[in-house]
Amino acid sequence: LHDALPISSSTSSFLKTVHLVSYAVLCVFGIVGNTMVFLASRRSRMTVIVSNIFIANLTIADLTVSAVNIPSVAAYGYLVYWPFGVFLCKCVSFLQGMTLCASVGTFVAIAVERYWHIAMYRRRKLTVRQAYKAIVIIWLLSVFIPSPIAVFSKTIHWKFNGKEVDICIEQRPNEKARHLFSTMLFVVLYFIPLSLISVLYWKIGRFLRRLPVMQKGLFALFVCCFHFFISRSNKRSQKLNFVFSDADGVFCFLRNE
């Protein structure tokens, strides 16, 4: 949000219109696409599985970005000033950080869940209750980490084309505090999650490569058959917590061998 002003103030009206139309297309496709994914993941409450819960949580975060963040950034970039007041300046800036944290946390949770169900398949499976607990932790951290953004976001007066308007900025006490917070966000939201996800998927790949050829085929067939079974099941007693979405990946791996 705070980066929209320098770009917009130096562009022509035509480019502003192009940016506005592009944002509108992203907003519409984001809302429609994420809504469809969410409805598909929650299609049958009788076949709730852990992976679908995480996917639904990811769509909620992305839907918030599409419905709130994108329109506000588009309006700010087109108008070149902030007409929505101090409260929305703090709120929208905070929502941007919160949804980013929620998305990153959910990606990590999905990677952990896939590793647990594939490489650690002999152990007890993750339950739906544990998935909901993980989501609660993700959102609590997503509220805590970007909270300084809401504290330091404010509107200030700025002269533009001979007029005094308000702009929304994030004003830190000093440059050292700003650099420290930026470094913290880079480590917490990029370096650590990327490293963890990379290690987990590398371990999954190493586990699959170490399987004998026959065992690979049986393992893939087992996952695929249960995926078909659970997708056709309409009985409440047939709730199972397997990562069936990984069946295609297993077969792609087998085909490349």
Side-chain angles (χ1 to χ4, degrees), residues 104 108 184 186-198:
V104 172
V108 173
M184 185 271 293
F186 172 79
V187 173
V188 174
L189 298 181
Y190 181 79
F191 180 76
I192 294 178
L194 180 61
S195 301
L196 183 59
I197 292 173
S198 300

Side-chain angles (χ1 to χ4, degrees), residues 25 52 99 106 114-115 128 138 159 171 186 195 198 223 233 251-252:
V25 172
N52 283 355
T99 52
T106 307
R114 289 181 173 180
Y115 170 76
V128 172
I138 289 172
K159 288 186 177 181
Q171 194 170 43
F186 172 79
S195 301
S198 300
V223 175
S233 174
F251 278 115
C252 289

Side-chain angles (χ1 to χ4, degrees), residues 38-94:
F38 178 80
L39 294 177
S41 65
R42 307 295 293 176
R43 179 178 54 185
S44 176
R45 292 187 177 274
M46 296 183 181
T47 57
V48 176
I49 57 177
V50 175
S51 57
N52 283 355
I53 293 174
F54 288 138
I55 292 174
N57 188 65
L58 185 62
T59 60
I60 292 174
D62 291 342
L63 188 60
T64 305
V65 172
S66 301
V68 179
N69 295 356
I70 293 179
S72 60
V73 171
Y76 191 29
Y78 185 80
L79 296 174
V80 199
Y81 66 93
W82 184 256
F84 306 115
V86 179
F87 175 76
L88 284 182
C89 173
K90 293 178 175 291
C91 184
V92 172
S93 301
F94 172 74

Side-chain angles (χ1 to χ4, degrees), residues 164-183:
E164 193 173 84
V165 296
D166 290 336
I167 60 173
C168 179
I169 66 169
E170 185 183 341
Q171 194 170 43
R172 298 282 172 176
N174 50 63
E175 284 295 314
K176 184 178 180 180
R178 186 176 68 85
H179 289 305
L180 183 63
F181 183 70
S182 298
T183 303

